[in-house]
Amino acid sequence: MRIMQETPYRLRIEREGEMRVPGVVFASRALLPDPAADRSLGQVADVATLPGIVTASYAMPDMHWGYGFPIGGVAATDIAAGGVVSPGGVGFDISCGVRLLAAALDRDGLDPRTHQRLMDELGRTIPRGLGRRAVWPLAGRGQLEHVLAEGSRYAVEQGHGTPRDLARCEDHGAVAGADPASVSARAMERGLGQLGSLGSGNHFLEVQAVERVYDEPVAEAFGLRRDRVCVMIHCGSRGLGHQICTDHVHAMQPAMRRHGITVPDRQLACAPVESPEGRAYLAAMAAAANYGRANRQLLTEAARRAFAGTCGADLELVYDVSHNLAKIETHEVDGGSRRLCVHRKGATLAFPPGHPGLPPDLAGSGQPVLIPGTMGTASYVLAGVAGNPAFDSTCHGAGRLQSRHQAVRSVRGRELRDRLEAAGVAVRGASWRGLAEEAPAAYKDIDEVIAVAEGAGLCRKVARLVPLGVVKG
DNA sequence: ATGTCC
């Protein structure tokens, strides 16, 4: 593989073999994955072979090895030119994403005793870990179908939130085109008992405080100012999204044979967007996306109850983003306007100021971008910028450096908890092993990832948040 | 990520 450094923050993988376009990686040399342990650069090249891919196969500064596509991967296919959709380009955790809430409270208003009571209450009421516990136990299949079709809109309609919440959700809380009929009975079964639950892995609910503001007017428009207490929620579509991915990867095998599509990796299973299999996946994916969004809405309700019961502060929604999704969007390609299927896997949509997809009160700010760090480290709020070189996309997190297995070998969960508590971060975990798997040492340096994302022109910094307590999935 | 294997 021939890799050229184009700018300090941009590398190019030259087109060769079956690649239809080059690879473009937004990273400093220091952030590049170790090729001995992580095959993600090869995955960027593999994605470049997909039918219909345009411009380049991109990777964000937090890139690492994933299922088929790299995590941190962005790929757009031209629908009219037979462009494909690939479940591996979205990931197993469909619509995994982040929501940020701002409390009507500053950090000096949270005395140590109230802080502990708040964390205890969150620890008691936020369902997490493997299995089926939920804030909203659905009445049955009919109610779940409403969630799949209407996402957070249905949750709010049913009293789990306010109309103001929807104004600060991507797509007003629901992806269009969701079809519950494309969702298998097994996926429905898995989804019934998990709505309003964090899950496990890197998912969390964190109480944070704004430590630094880089752009006062934009922070103000987002509802943020220095020292404000916030809540960040990171979760996805649980077993339902996972099952949908599994079902449709299998369903695409005959479509690939029928269309004569060959891919360098079985995990890149795909089908033309304009094929029965492609359409069925997108309809089921949209349903999972709506489930993921409703999931964050229900966890918001639980967090609001915990705040109301302990410190009395309201929580106002700053924004909600999905960072695992494929969307049909129109972009300029080679001087023409094309309908594209844009895959973002571990990558965040970042519209520039003035984009019609923004809420009117944020039109001048650009789209809020929410990027969590790791336990005990900072998180960032950023904004979309004009001239984004990757279909209005940016990174989604710190990016894993060590495998879960490596992380568990290098630190004990109890030890990590004690270290975080000593540093003033209250910890309410689900399992010791899960905690060790998410050790900060297993991730890249979030400050460096953000510096590269900004340096590469993907987004710009608005505020830096630091953790006060974490409820870990 | 995930009832970490149907």
Side-chain angles (χ1 to χ4, degrees):
Chain A
M1 209 161 46
R2 276 206 306 134
I3 302 177
M4 310 283 290
Q5 184 145 14
E6 293 189 316
T7 73
Y9 298 134
R10 181 178 168 125
L11 299 126
R12 179 187 177 90
I13 303 172
E14 296 296 349
R15 199 161 79 84
E16 63 175 37
E18 304 298 309
M19 291 170 69
R20 296 166 194 261
V21 292
V24 170
V25 179
F26 299 101
S28 59
R29 283 278 174 195
L31 281 180
L32 276 183
D34 170 13
D38 177 309
R39 231 193 63 75
S40 57
L41 284 171
Q43 293 188 313
V44 174
D46 288 347
V47 169
T49 69
L50 290 178
I53 188 167
V54 294
T55 317
S57 164
Y58 295 98
M60 301 294 123
D62 52 339
M63 74 178 299
H64 59 105
W65 198 0
Y67 177 89
F69 282 55
I71 293 162
V74 175
T77 61
D78 185 339
I79 295 168
V84 294
V85 60
S86 173
V90 171
F92 276 90
D93 194 6
I94 297 166
S95 194
C96 178
V98 184
R99 169 177 286 221
L100 184 68
L101 305 152
L105 176 73
D106 280 357
R107 65 184 300 178
D108 60 8
L110 196 61
D111 63 83
R113 210 176 63 95
T114 312
H115 183 199
Q116 288 307 312
R117 281 183 53 226
L118 172 63
M119 292 309 299
D120 286 342
E121 188 60 8
L122 289 168
R124 194 178 68 76
T125 57
I126 299 294
R128 60 193 185 277
L130 288 171
R132 41 176 63 227
R133 279 194 303 139
V135 175
W136 190 11
L138 296 168
R141 206 190 144 95
Q143 199 166 36
L144 177 55
E145 284 180 358
H146 279 290
V147 172
L148 298 180
E150 301 157 69
S152 292
R153 281 183 214 157
Y154 180 66
V156 167
E157 202 177 283
Q158 296 294 304
H160 305 288
T162 69
R164 162 64 175 68
D165 292 341
L166 299 179
R168 290 302 185 95
C169 291
E170 277 183 358
D171 316 297
H172 238 76
V175 180
D179 180 12
S182 292
V183 178
S184 69
R186 200 160 158 197
M188 297 287 282
E189 185 56 41
R190 291 180 71 171
L192 267 173
Q194 299 185 325
L195 192 63
S197 64
L198 282 178
S200 57
N202 62 359
H203 292 157
F204 64 80
L205 181 148
E206 215 167 71
V207 179
Q208 306 174 334
V210 178
E211 181 217 38
R212 189 170 167 194
V213 169
Y214 303 94
D215 184 322
E216 297 272 358
V218 172
E220 188 65 36
F222 288 0
L224 299 172
R225 61 162 185 259
R226 195 181 139 92
D227 292 329
R228 176 157 279 197
V229 171
C230 293
V231 173
M232 185 176 273
I233 297 168
H234 178 209
C235 67
S237 51
R238 307 293 276 72
L240 178 130
H242 191 278
Q243 189 64 47
I244 286 173
C245 182
T246 303
D247 292 341
H248 288 263
V249 163
H250 285 114
M252 282 183 178
Q253 300 305 328
M256 291 181 72
R257 285 193 292 273
R258 203 172 66 242
H259 288 90
I261 296 170
T262 57
V263 288
D265 179 350
R266 290 177 58 89
Q267 297 183 348
L268 290 176
C270 59
V273 172
E274 303 280 17
S275 70
E277 294 85 351
R279 279 190 286 268
Y281 170 69
L282 283 169
M285 182 210 71
N290 290 334
Y291 184 93
R293 285 155 181 224
N295 195 22
R296 291 192 283 277
Q297 185 66 39
L298 270 299
L299 287 165
T300 298
E301 182 177 45
R304 281 174 171 154
R305 283 200 195 119
F307 269 71
T310 53
C311 61
D314 287 334
L315 295 173
E316 189 170 75
L317 182 53
V318 173
Y319 208 63
D320 180 295
V321 303
S322 299
H323 51 224
N324 282 6
L325 214 58
K327 290 190 118 174
I328 308 302
E329 299 171 10
T330 302
H331 291 268
E332 289 284 313
V333 178
D334 300 331
S337 183
R338 312 265 189 91
R339 270 182 80 234
L340 305 176
C341 178
V342 186
H343 301 73
R344 294 187 184 84
K345 178 189 194 179
T348 310
L349 186 52
F351 287 138
H355 193 283
L358 293 174
D361 56 333
L362 299 185
S365 310
Q367 188 167 19
V369 172
L370 310 174
I371 303 191
T374 59
M375 269 185 308
T377 66
S379 294
Y380 280 85
V381 176
L382 304 98
V385 294
N388 180 296
F391 303 110
D392 295 333
S393 312
T394 187
C395 57
H396 85 306
R400 206 168 246 290
L401 209 53
Q402 297 179 340
S403 68
R404 296 184 180 285
H405 194 70
Q406 276 177 304
V408 167
R409 274 184 311 193
S410 58
V411 69
R412 294 182 65 85
R414 286 172 195 276
E415 193 184 316
L416 184 58
R417 193 268 318 260
D418 292 347
R419 217 188 297 156
L420 289 165
E421 293 271 358
V425 183
V427 179
R428 301 294 183 270
S431 77
W432 294 117
R433 189 190 167 86
L435 212 57
E437 285 179 350
E438 296 300 316
Y443 283 85
K444 297 178 191 181
D445 176 355
I446 186 66
D447 296 310
E448 185 169 358
V449 169
I450 296 300
V452 171
E454 193 171 50
L458 300 169
C459 53
R460 65 192 190 87
K461 289 187 290 199
V462 174
R464 186 177 193 266
L465 284 60
V466 291
L468 302 177
V470 57
V471 180
K472 200 74 192 76

Short mmCIF file of all heavy atoms in Angstrom, two decimals, chain A residues 246-297:
data_model
loop_
_atom_site.label_atom_id
_atom_site.label_comp_id
_atom_site.label_asym_id
_atom_site.label_seq_id
_atom_site.Cartn_x
_atom_site.Cartn_y
_atom_site.Cartn_z
N THR A 246 -27.12 -8.34 11.75
CA THR A 246 -26.87 -9.77 11.48
C THR A 246 -27.82 -10.29 10.40
O THR A 246 -27.39 -10.92 9.44
CB THR A 246 -27.08 -10.58 12.78
OG1 THR A 246 -26.21 -10.04 13.78
CG2 THR A 246 -26.78 -12.05 12.57
N ASP A 247 -29.12 -10.01 10.55
CA ASP A 247 -30.13 -10.50 9.60
C ASP A 247 -29.82 -10.03 8.18
O ASP A 247 -29.90 -10.80 7.23
CB ASP A 247 -31.53 -9.97 9.97
CG ASP A 247 -32.07 -10.54 11.28
OD1 ASP A 247 -31.56 -11.59 11.72
OD2 ASP A 247 -32.99 -9.92 11.85
N HIS A 248 -29.49 -8.75 8.03
CA HIS A 248 -29.36 -8.19 6.68
C HIS A 248 -28.01 -8.48 6.04
O HIS A 248 -27.92 -8.53 4.81
CB HIS A 248 -29.72 -6.70 6.70
CG HIS A 248 -31.20 -6.48 6.87
ND1 HIS A 248 -32.04 -6.27 5.81
CD2 HIS A 248 -31.99 -6.54 7.97
CE1 HIS A 248 -33.29 -6.15 6.26
NE2 HIS A 248 -33.27 -6.32 7.58
N VAL A 249 -26.96 -8.71 6.83
CA VAL A 249 -25.68 -9.17 6.25
C VAL A 249 -25.95 -10.51 5.56
O VAL A 249 -25.49 -10.74 4.44
CB VAL A 249 -24.59 -9.30 7.34
CG1 VAL A 249 -23.44 -10.15 6.84
CG2 VAL A 249 -24.07 -7.92 7.73
N HIS A 250 -26.72 -11.39 6.20
CA HIS A 250 -27.04 -12.68 5.60
C HIS A 250 -27.91 -12.52 4.37
O HIS A 250 -27.67 -13.13 3.34
CB HIS A 250 -27.73 -13.60 6.63
CG HIS A 250 -26.77 -14.15 7.63
ND1 HIS A 250 -26.81 -13.83 8.97
CD2 HIS A 250 -25.71 -14.98 7.47
CE1 HIS A 250 -25.82 -14.44 9.60
NE2 HIS A 250 -25.15 -15.15 8.72
N ALA A 251 -28.92 -11.64 4.48
CA ALA A 251 -29.87 -11.47 3.38
C ALA A 251 -29.21 -10.91 2.12
O ALA A 251 -29.74 -11.05 1.03
CB ALA A 251 -31.01 -10.56 3.83
N MET A 252 -28.05 -10.25 2.29
CA MET A 252 -27.40 -9.63 1.13
C MET A 252 -26.58 -10.60 0.29
O MET A 252 -26.22 -10.26 -0.85
CB MET A 252 -26.54 -8.45 1.58
CG MET A 252 -27.40 -7.23 1.86
SD MET A 252 -26.45 -5.81 2.31
CE MET A 252 -27.78 -4.60 2.50
N GLN A 253 -26.28 -11.78 0.82
CA GLN A 253 -25.43 -12.72 0.07
C GLN A 253 -26.01 -13.05 -1.33
O GLN A 253 -25.29 -12.92 -2.31
CB GLN A 253 -25.19 -14.00 0.87
CG GLN A 253 -24.48 -13.78 2.22
CD GLN A 253 -23.15 -13.04 2.11
OE1 GLN A 253 -22.45 -13.18 1.12
NE2 GLN A 253 -22.83 -12.23 3.11
N PRO A 254 -27.30 -13.44 -1.43
CA PRO A 254 -27.83 -13.73 -2.77
C PRO A 254 -27.86 -12.49 -3.67
O PRO A 254 -27.66 -12.61 -4.88
CB PRO A 254 -29.26 -14.24 -2.50
CG PRO A 254 -29.55 -13.96 -1.08
CD PRO A 254 -28.26 -13.80 -0.36
N ALA A 255 -28.08 -11.31 -3.09
CA ALA A 255 -28.10 -10.08 -3.91
C ALA A 255 -26.72 -9.83 -4.52
O ALA A 255 -26.61 -9.41 -5.67
CB ALA A 255 -28.51 -8.89 -3.05
N MET A 256 -25.67 -10.11 -3.76
CA MET A 256 -24.31 -9.92 -4.28
C MET A 256 -24.05 -10.85 -5.46
O MET A 256 -23.49 -10.44 -6.48
CB MET A 256 -23.28 -10.16 -3.18
CG MET A 256 -23.32 -9.10 -2.10
SD MET A 256 -22.09 -9.36 -0.82
CE MET A 256 -20.60 -8.94 -1.70
N ARG A 257 -24.48 -12.11 -5.32
CA ARG A 257 -24.30 -13.06 -6.43
C ARG A 257 -25.08 -12.61 -7.66
O ARG A 257 -24.58 -12.61 -8.77
CB ARG A 257 -24.74 -14.47 -5.99
CG ARG A 257 -23.73 -15.16 -5.04
CD ARG A 257 -24.04 -16.64 -4.88
NE ARG A 257 -25.29 -16.88 -4.15
CZ ARG A 257 -25.36 -16.95 -2.81
NH1 ARG A 257 -24.29 -16.80 -2.07
NH2 ARG A 257 -26.52 -17.16 -2.22
N ARG A 258 -26.33 -12.19 -7.43
CA ARG A 258 -27.21 -11.79 -8.53
C ARG A 258 -26.65 -10.58 -9.28
O ARG A 258 -26.75 -10.51 -10.50
CB ARG A 258 -28.59 -11.48 -7.96
CG ARG A 258 -29.73 -11.59 -8.95
CD ARG A 258 -31.08 -11.45 -8.27
NE ARG A 258 -31.30 -10.14 -7.71
CZ ARG A 258 -31.51 -9.89 -6.42
NH1 ARG A 258 -31.51 -10.88 -5.54
NH2 ARG A 258 -31.70 -8.66 -5.99
N HIS A 259 -26.03 -9.64 -8.56
CA HIS A 259 -25.50 -8.44 -9.19
C HIS A 259 -24.03 -8.58 -9.58
O HIS A 259 -23.41 -7.62 -10.05
CB HIS A 259 -25.67 -7.22 -8.28
CG HIS A 259 -27.10 -6.76 -8.16
ND1 HIS A 259 -27.98 -7.24 -7.20
CD2 HIS A 259 -27.82 -5.88 -8.92
CE1 HIS A 259 -29.15 -6.66 -7.36
NE2 HIS A 259 -29.09 -5.84 -8.39
N GLY A 260 -23.47 -9.77 -9.35
CA GLY A 260 -22.06 -9.99 -9.71
C GLY A 260 -21.09 -9.12 -8.93
O GLY A 260 -20.04 -8.73 -9.43
N ILE A 261 -21.46 -8.81 -7.67
CA ILE A 261 -20.59 -7.96 -6.84
C ILE A 261 -19.60 -8.84 -6.08
O ILE A 261 -20.01 -9.79 -5.39
CB ILE A 261 -21.43 -7.13 -5.83
CG1 ILE A 261 -22.36 -6.16 -6.57
CG2 ILE A 261 -20.52 -6.39 -4.85
CD1 ILE A 261 -23.39 -5.48 -5.68
N THR A 262 -18.32 -8.54 -6.21
CA THR A 262 -17.31 -9.24 -5.40
C THR A 262 -16.62 -8.20 -4.52
O THR A 262 -16.40 -7.06 -4.95
CB THR A 262 -16.27 -9.97 -6.26
OG1 THR A 262 -15.65 -9.01 -7.12
CG2 THR A 262 -16.89 -11.08 -7.07
N VAL A 263 -16.30 -8.59 -3.30
CA VAL A 263 -15.63 -7.68 -2.36
C VAL A 263 -14.42 -8.39 -1.75
O VAL A 263 -14.42 -9.63 -1.67
CB VAL A 263 -16.60 -7.23 -1.23
CG1 VAL A 263 -17.63 -6.26 -1.76
CG2 VAL A 263 -17.30 -8.42 -0.57
N PRO A 264 -13.41 -7.63 -1.35
CA PRO A 264 -12.18 -8.25 -0.86
C PRO A 264 -12.30 -8.85 0.55
O PRO A 264 -11.37 -9.47 1.03
CB PRO A 264 -11.17 -7.08 -0.88
CG PRO A 264 -11.99 -5.85 -0.83
CD PRO A 264 -13.30 -6.17 -1.48
N ASP A 265 -13.45 -8.62 1.20
CA ASP A 265 -13.63 -9.07 2.58
C ASP A 265 -15.10 -9.44 2.74
O ASP A 265 -15.99 -8.63 2.41
CB ASP A 265 -13.24 -7.93 3.54
CG ASP A 265 -13.40 -8.27 5.01
OD1 ASP A 265 -14.01 -9.32 5.34
OD2 ASP A 265 -12.93 -7.48 5.85
N ARG A 266 -15.37 -10.65 3.24
CA ARG A 266 -16.77 -11.08 3.43
C ARG A 266 -17.58 -10.10 4.26
O ARG A 266 -18.80 -9.98 4.10
CB ARG A 266 -16.79 -12.44 4.16
CG ARG A 266 -16.30 -13.62 3.37
CD ARG A 266 -16.30 -14.87 4.25
NE ARG A 266 -17.63 -15.16 4.78
CZ ARG A 266 -18.53 -15.91 4.15
NH1 ARG A 266 -18.25 -16.45 3.00
NH2 ARG A 266 -19.70 -16.14 4.70
N GLN A 267 -16.88 -9.41 5.16
CA GLN A 267 -17.58 -8.47 6.05
C GLN A 267 -18.04 -7.21 5.33
O GLN A 267 -18.69 -6.36 5.93
CB GLN A 267 -16.68 -8.11 7.23
CG GLN A 267 -16.35 -9.32 8.11
CD GLN A 267 -15.52 -8.97 9.32
OE1 GLN A 267 -15.00 -7.87 9.43
NE2 GLN A 267 -15.39 -9.91 10.25
N LEU A 268 -17.69 -7.07 4.06
CA LEU A 268 -18.16 -5.92 3.27
C LEU A 268 -19.42 -6.28 2.47
O LEU A 268 -19.71 -5.65 1.45
CB LEU A 268 -17.07 -5.43 2.33
CG LEU A 268 -15.88 -4.74 3.00
CD1 LEU A 268 -14.80 -4.39 1.98
CD2 LEU A 268 -16.32 -3.48 3.75
N ALA A 269 -20.18 -7.25 2.95
CA ALA A 269 -21.45 -7.61 2.29
C ALA A 269 -22.23 -6.34 1.99
O ALA A 269 -22.31 -5.43 2.81
CB ALA A 269 -22.27 -8.51 3.20
N CYS A 270 -22.83 -6.28 0.78
CA CYS A 270 -23.52 -5.06 0.37
C CYS A 270 -24.54 -5.40 -0.71
O CYS A 270 -24.54 -6.51 -1.25
CB CYS A 270 -22.52 -4.03 -0.15
SG CYS A 270 -21.56 -4.60 -1.56
N ALA A 271 -25.40 -4.44 -1.02
CA ALA A 271 -26.36 -4.59 -2.12
C ALA A 271 -26.64 -3.20 -2.67
O ALA A 271 -26.54 -2.21 -1.93
CB ALA A 271 -27.66 -5.22 -1.61
N PRO A 272 -26.96 -3.10 -3.97
CA PRO A 272 -27.31 -1.78 -4.51
C PRO A 272 -28.42 -1.13 -3.68
O PRO A 272 -29.34 -1.83 -3.24
CB PRO A 272 -27.78 -2.09 -5.93
CG PRO A 272 -27.09 -3.37 -6.30
CD PRO A 272 -27.02 -4.16 -5.01
N VAL A 273 -28.30 0.16 -3.46
CA VAL A 273 -29.36 0.88 -2.73
C VAL A 273 -30.70 0.62 -3.42
O VAL A 273 -31.71 0.39 -2.77
CB VAL A 273 -29.04 2.40 -2.69
CG1 VAL A 273 -30.22 3.18 -2.12
CG2 VAL A 273 -27.78 2.65 -1.87
N GLU A 274 -30.67 0.64 -4.78
CA GLU A 274 -31.89 0.39 -5.56
C GLU A 274 -32.05 -1.10 -5.86
O GLU A 274 -32.08 -1.51 -7.02
CB GLU A 274 -31.84 1.18 -6.87
CG GLU A 274 -31.67 2.67 -6.72
CD GLU A 274 -32.95 3.42 -6.38
OE1 GLU A 274 -33.93 2.78 -5.95
OE2 GLU A 274 -32.96 4.65 -6.55
N SER A 275 -32.10 -1.91 -4.81
CA SER A 275 -32.40 -3.35 -4.97
C SER A 275 -33.30 -3.72 -3.80
O SER A 275 -33.34 -3.00 -2.79
CB SER A 275 -31.11 -4.18 -4.92
OG SER A 275 -30.54 -4.18 -3.61
N PRO A 276 -34.06 -4.81 -3.91
CA PRO A 276 -34.96 -5.17 -2.79
C PRO A 276 -34.18 -5.33 -1.48
O PRO A 276 -34.63 -4.88 -0.43
CB PRO A 276 -35.56 -6.52 -3.24
CG PRO A 276 -35.44 -6.52 -4.73
CD PRO A 276 -34.21 -5.72 -5.07
N GLU A 277 -32.99 -5.95 -1.56
CA GLU A 277 -32.20 -6.18 -0.35
C GLU A 277 -31.65 -4.87 0.22
O GLU A 277 -31.61 -4.69 1.44
CB GLU A 277 -31.05 -7.14 -0.63
CG GLU A 277 -31.49 -8.56 -0.99
CD GLU A 277 -31.82 -8.74 -2.47
OE1 GLU A 277 -31.86 -7.73 -3.21
OE2 GLU A 277 -32.05 -9.89 -2.89
N GLY A 278 -31.21 -3.97 -0.67
CA GLY A 278 -30.70 -2.68 -0.23
C GLY A 278 -31.80 -1.86 0.43
O GLY A 278 -31.61 -1.28 1.50
N ARG A 279 -32.95 -1.84 -0.23
CA ARG A 279 -34.08 -1.07 0.32
C ARG A 279 -34.54 -1.65 1.66
O ARG A 279 -34.85 -0.92 2.60
CB ARG A 279 -35.24 -1.05 -0.67
CG ARG A 279 -35.08 -0.01 -1.78
CD ARG A 279 -36.36 0.14 -2.59
NE ARG A 279 -36.57 -1.00 -3.48
CZ ARG A 279 -36.15 -1.04 -4.73
NH1 ARG A 279 -35.53 0.01 -5.26
NH2 ARG A 279 -36.35 -2.11 -5.47
N ALA A 280 -34.56 -2.99 1.75
CA ALA A 280 -35.01 -3.64 3.01
C ALA A 280 -34.04 -3.31 4.15
O ALA A 280 -34.47 -3.01 5.27
CB ALA A 280 -35.10 -5.15 2.82
N TYR A 281 -32.74 -3.33 3.84
CA TYR A 281 -31.78 -2.99 4.90
C TYR A 281 -31.98 -1.55 5.35
O TYR A 281 -32.04 -1.28 6.56
CB TYR A 281 -30.32 -3.20 4.45
CG TYR A 281 -29.37 -2.60 5.47
CD1 TYR A 281 -29.24 -3.19 6.74
CD2 TYR A 281 -28.67 -1.42 5.22
CE1 TYR A 281 -28.43 -2.61 7.71
CE2 TYR A 281 -27.86 -0.84 6.18
CZ TYR A 281 -27.74 -1.44 7.43
OH TYR A 281 -26.95 -0.86 8.39
N LEU A 282 -32.09 -0.62 4.40
CA LEU A 282 -32.22 0.80 4.78
C LEU A 282 -33.50 1.04 5.59
O LEU A 282 -33.51 1.86 6.51
CB LEU A 282 -32.18 1.69 3.53
CG LEU A 282 -30.77 1.89 2.96
CD1 LEU A 282 -30.83 2.53 1.58
CD2 LEU A 282 -29.91 2.73 3.91
N ALA A 283 -34.58 0.32 5.26
CA ALA A 283 -35.84 0.49 6.00
C ALA A 283 -35.71 -0.06 7.42
O ALA A 283 -36.22 0.52 8.38
CB ALA A 283 -36.97 -0.22 5.26
N ALA A 284 -34.99 -1.19 7.56
CA ALA A 284 -34.78 -1.77 8.89
C ALA A 284 -33.77 -0.95 9.68
O ALA A 284 -33.92 -0.74 10.89
CB ALA A 284 -34.30 -3.22 8.76
N MET A 285 -32.73 -0.46 8.97
CA MET A 285 -31.73 0.39 9.62
C MET A 285 -32.37 1.66 10.19
O MET A 285 -32.07 2.07 11.31
CB MET A 285 -30.64 0.78 8.61
CG MET A 285 -29.53 1.61 9.20
SD MET A 285 -28.79 2.74 7.98
CE MET A 285 -30.13 3.93 7.76
N ALA A 286 -33.30 2.26 9.41
CA ALA A 286 -33.99 3.47 9.88
C ALA A 286 -34.83 3.14 11.13
O ALA A 286 -34.90 3.94 12.05
CB ALA A 286 -34.87 4.04 8.77
N ALA A 287 -35.43 1.95 11.14
CA ALA A 287 -36.22 1.54 12.31
C ALA A 287 -35.30 1.41 13.54
O ALA A 287 -35.64 1.87 14.63
CB ALA A 287 -36.93 0.22 12.03
N ALA A 288 -34.13 0.81 13.34
CA ALA A 288 -33.17 0.68 14.46
C ALA A 288 -32.68 2.05 14.89
O ALA A 288 -32.47 2.31 16.09
CB ALA A 288 -31.99 -0.20 14.05
N ALA A 289 -32.49 2.95 13.92
CA ALA A 289 -32.05 4.31 14.25
C ALA A 289 -33.08 4.98 15.14
O ALA A 289 -32.74 5.65 16.13
CB ALA A 289 -31.84 5.12 12.97
N ASN A 290 -34.35 4.79 14.81
CA ASN A 290 -35.40 5.41 15.62
C ASN A 290 -35.45 4.79 17.01
O ASN A 290 -35.72 5.49 18.00
CB ASN A 290 -36.74 5.30 14.89
CG ASN A 290 -36.76 6.22 13.68
OD1 ASN A 290 -36.04 7.22 13.64
ND2 ASN A 290 -37.56 5.87 12.68
N TYR A 291 -35.18 3.51 17.10
CA TYR A 291 -35.12 2.85 18.41
C TYR A 291 -33.97 3.45 19.23
O TYR A 291 -34.13 3.76 20.41
CB TYR A 291 -34.91 1.35 18.22
CG TYR A 291 -34.94 0.53 19.49
CD1 TYR A 291 -36.12 -0.05 19.93
CD2 TYR A 291 -33.79 0.33 20.24
CE1 TYR A 291 -36.15 -0.80 21.09
CE2 TYR A 291 -33.80 -0.42 21.41
CZ TYR A 291 -34.99 -0.98 21.83
OH TYR A 291 -35.02 -1.73 22.98
N GLY A 292 -32.80 3.62 18.59
CA GLY A 292 -31.64 4.19 19.28
C GLY A 292 -31.92 5.60 19.78
O GLY A 292 -31.55 5.97 20.89
N ARG A 293 -32.60 6.37 18.96
CA ARG A 293 -32.91 7.74 19.35
C ARG A 293 -33.94 7.78 20.48
O ARG A 293 -33.80 8.56 21.43
CB ARG A 293 -33.41 8.52 18.13
CG ARG A 293 -32.24 8.86 17.22
CD ARG A 293 -32.64 9.05 15.80
NE ARG A 293 -31.48 9.35 14.98
CZ ARG A 293 -31.42 10.29 14.06
NH1 ARG A 293 -32.47 11.04 13.82
NH2 ARG A 293 -30.33 10.50 13.37
N ALA A 294 -34.95 6.93 20.39
CA ALA A 294 -35.92 6.85 21.49
C ALA A 294 -35.23 6.36 22.76
O ALA A 294 -35.56 6.81 23.87
CB ALA A 294 -37.06 5.91 21.10
N ASN A 295 -34.25 5.48 22.60
CA ASN A 295 -33.51 4.98 23.75
C ASN A 295 -32.86 6.13 24.51
O ASN A 295 -32.97 6.24 25.74
CB ASN A 295 -32.44 3.99 23.27
CG ASN A 295 -31.87 3.15 24.38
OD1 ASN A 295 -32.50 2.98 25.43
ND2 ASN A 295 -30.68 2.62 24.18
N ARG A 296 -32.21 7.04 23.77
CA ARG A 296 -31.58 8.19 24.43
C ARG A 296 -32.63 9.13 25.03
O ARG A 296 -32.39 9.76 26.06
CB ARG A 296 -30.68 8.94 23.44
CG ARG A 296 -29.44 8.13 23.06
CD ARG A 296 -28.40 8.94 22.31
NE ARG A 296 -28.71 9.19 20.92
CZ ARG A 296 -28.48 8.35 19.91
NH1 ARG A 296 -27.93 7.18 20.16
NH2 ARG A 296 -28.79 8.66 18.68
N GLN A 297 -33.80 9.22 24.40
CA GLN A 297 -34.88 10.05 24.95
C GLN A 297 -35.36 9.50 26.30
O GLN A 297 -35.60 10.25 27.24
CB GLN A 297 -36.05 10.12 23.96
CG GLN A 297 -37.18 11.05 24.36
CD GLN A 297 -36.76 12.51 24.39
OE1 GLN A 297 -36.02 12.98 23.54
NE2 GLN A 297 -37.24 13.24 25.39
#
